[in-house]
């Protein structure tokens, strides 16, 4: 059996009690690292949730506007078209959208309804999903506007 060099043996003997001291010095390291990283991690996670919420609502608003414009195209007059657009927006609005959707209907040729275009603009103020990301929106709500134009005739 090979014997250790006396210098190496002294080093090994002197370190036998020290790992516990070293562990004791580093006992709060994980807690400090977590305290530093947790706010950033939460902001990242909640930011992703917020952007998904915003994108989903934006797509929903685009779909509502398209369906409402189509309902306005098949009507017979500007008055009937405006009523059809408002009814379509009301019927297609999902339950999580608790605020009112603002609807604006414009006609390129109001006097000659079937010869022009209809443009429907919808607007909705979406409140933030999480309070951690509310600072991203200075006004406190995401203002979502969707516009769709179709030829009537």
């Amino acid at each position: 059996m090979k014997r250790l060099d006396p210098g190496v043996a002294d080093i090994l003997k002197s370190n036998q009690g020290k790992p516990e001291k070293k562990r004791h010095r580093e006992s709060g390291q994980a807690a400090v690292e977590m305290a530093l990283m947790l706010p950033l991690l939460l902001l990242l996670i909640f930011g992703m949730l917020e952007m998904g919420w915003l994108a989903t609502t934006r797509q929903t608003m685009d779909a509502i506007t398209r369906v409402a414009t189509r309902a306005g195209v098949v009507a017979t007059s500007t008055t009937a078209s405006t009523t059809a657009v408002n009814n379509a927006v009301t019927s297609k609005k999902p339950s999580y959208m608790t605020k009112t959707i603002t609807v604006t209907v414009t006609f390129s040729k109001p006097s000659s309804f079937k010869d022009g275009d209809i443009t429907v603009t919808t607007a909705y103020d979406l409140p933030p999903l999480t309070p951690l990301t509310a600072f991203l929106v200075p006004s406190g709500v995401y203002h979502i506007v969707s516009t769709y134009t179709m030829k009537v005739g």
Side-chain angles (χ1 to χ4, degrees):
M1 188 185 242
K2 190 173 180 182
R3 290 186 52 113
L4 290 174
D5 185 26
V8 174
D10 289 341
I11 291 172
L12 289 175
K13 285 180 187 176
S14 67
N15 284 341
Q16 285 178 355
K18 289 188 181 178
E20 287 185 29
K21 274 188 178 181
K22 189 175 181 181
R23 249 188 255 144
H24 180 67
R25 275 189 327 170
E26 297 176 358
S27 65
Q29 179 183 358
V32 170
E33 288 176 359
M34 187 174 88
L36 290 172
M37 293 306 296
L38 188 63
L40 295 173
L41 183 65
L42 288 175
L43 185 62
L44 182 67
I45 290 170
F46 287 124
M48 288 187 297
L49 287 171
E50 193 76 37
M51 291 304 113
W53 169 255
L54 182 60
T56 300
T57 304
R58 173 60 194 215
Q59 287 181 339
T60 302
M61 285 293 292
D62 287 344
I64 289 171
T65 306
R66 182 182 44 77
V67 168
T69 306
R70 178 71 183 128
V73 165
V74 297
T76 56
S77 68
T78 56
T79 306
S81 179
T82 304
T83 303
V85 166
N86 287 321
N87 289 341
V89 169
T90 304
S91 68
K92 296 296 180 186
K93 183 173 103 170
S95 60
Y96 73 87
M97 294 175 122
T98 55
K99 295 183 178 181
T100 303
I101 296 177
T102 305
V103 181
T104 306
V105 182
T106 54
F107 302 96
S108 62
K109 294 183 181 177
S111 59
S112 174
F113 175 70
K114 290 292 183 182
D115 295 332
D117 298 338
I118 179 174
T119 301
V120 176
T121 303
T122 56
Y124 185 74
D125 291 332
L126 180 71
L129 184 62
T130 59
L132 289 177
T133 55
F135 72 92
L136 295 173
V137 187
S139 62
V141 293
Y142 298 104
H143 188 67
I144 301 172
V145 178
S146 182
T147 302
Y148 209 85
T149 302
M150 285 186 182
K151 188 155 241 7
V152 177

